[in-house]
Amino acid sequence: MTEEPAHRTSAAPESLARRVAAPLGVAAGLAAAFVYVGAVDPNESGHYPACPLLRYTGVYCPGCGGLRSVHAVAHGDLAAALGANALATVGYAAFAVFWAVWLLRSVQGRAVALPLRARHWWALGGLVLVFTVVRNLPFGGFLAP
């Protein structure tokens, strides 16, 4: 009498539509957000809530100017996007590259992983902290929204 294996490793291959569903869903959600912010100008008051940190302390958070940055990107104005929030704009570009790799690897049926270690997260946190501090200092006015 032969024994059955405890688990089967030969599963049916996943369809292309199923493999690309997640990256395409994320793209659809982000596209909808960019279209909305592109249509509803954050430079006009009353459309979006004010940043509570800026409102109550006068300090720019790392996200201040992010909506104006998205609005500028949606209108193809990269200089205005960088002026509104340079860190967010670079983040949009980095995510776009990651998304393209994710989609390509999904089409190929390969997994995508970011091998980020603690030092990478600390470096990213340090970059955000330096950006936040510098944009609030007199000489860092070029980073203020």
Side-chain angles (χ1 to χ4, degrees):
M1 183 160 147
T2 61
E3 291 185 27
E4 290 281 328
H7 67 293
R8 296 189 188 270
T9 58
S10 60
E14 211 173 16
S15 72
L16 177 62
R18 187 170 175 90
R19 290 193 314 257
V20 299
L24 292 180
V26 168
L30 288 175
F34 268 73
V35 166
Y36 179 79
V37 176
V40 181
D41 191 353
N43 294 303
E44 296 175 12
S45 64
H47 294 294
Y48 301 97
C51 172
L53 184 66
L54 181 61
R55 171 180 250 161
Y56 296 116
T57 67
V59 173
Y60 295 118
C61 76
C64 280
L67 286 175
R68 289 186 294 273
S69 176
V70 168
H71 183 76
V73 168
H75 289 272
D77 190 351
L78 186 58
L82 287 167
N85 189 322
L87 186 63
T89 305
V90 170
Y92 308 148
F95 184 79
V97 169
F98 168 76
W99 181 85
V101 170
W102 182 21
L103 180 64
L104 179 64
R105 291 180 68 93
S106 295
V107 166
Q108 296 171 343
R110 297 168 50 199
V112 64
L114 287 175
L116 297 177
R117 299 197 168 148
R119 67 176 173 255
H120 299 116
W121 291 111
W122 281 105
L124 181 61
L127 175 68
V128 170
L129 179 64
V130 167
F131 173 76
T132 304
V133 169
V134 169
R135 76 188 316 207
N136 284 289
L137 293 174
F139 66 86
F142 66 96
L143 292 175

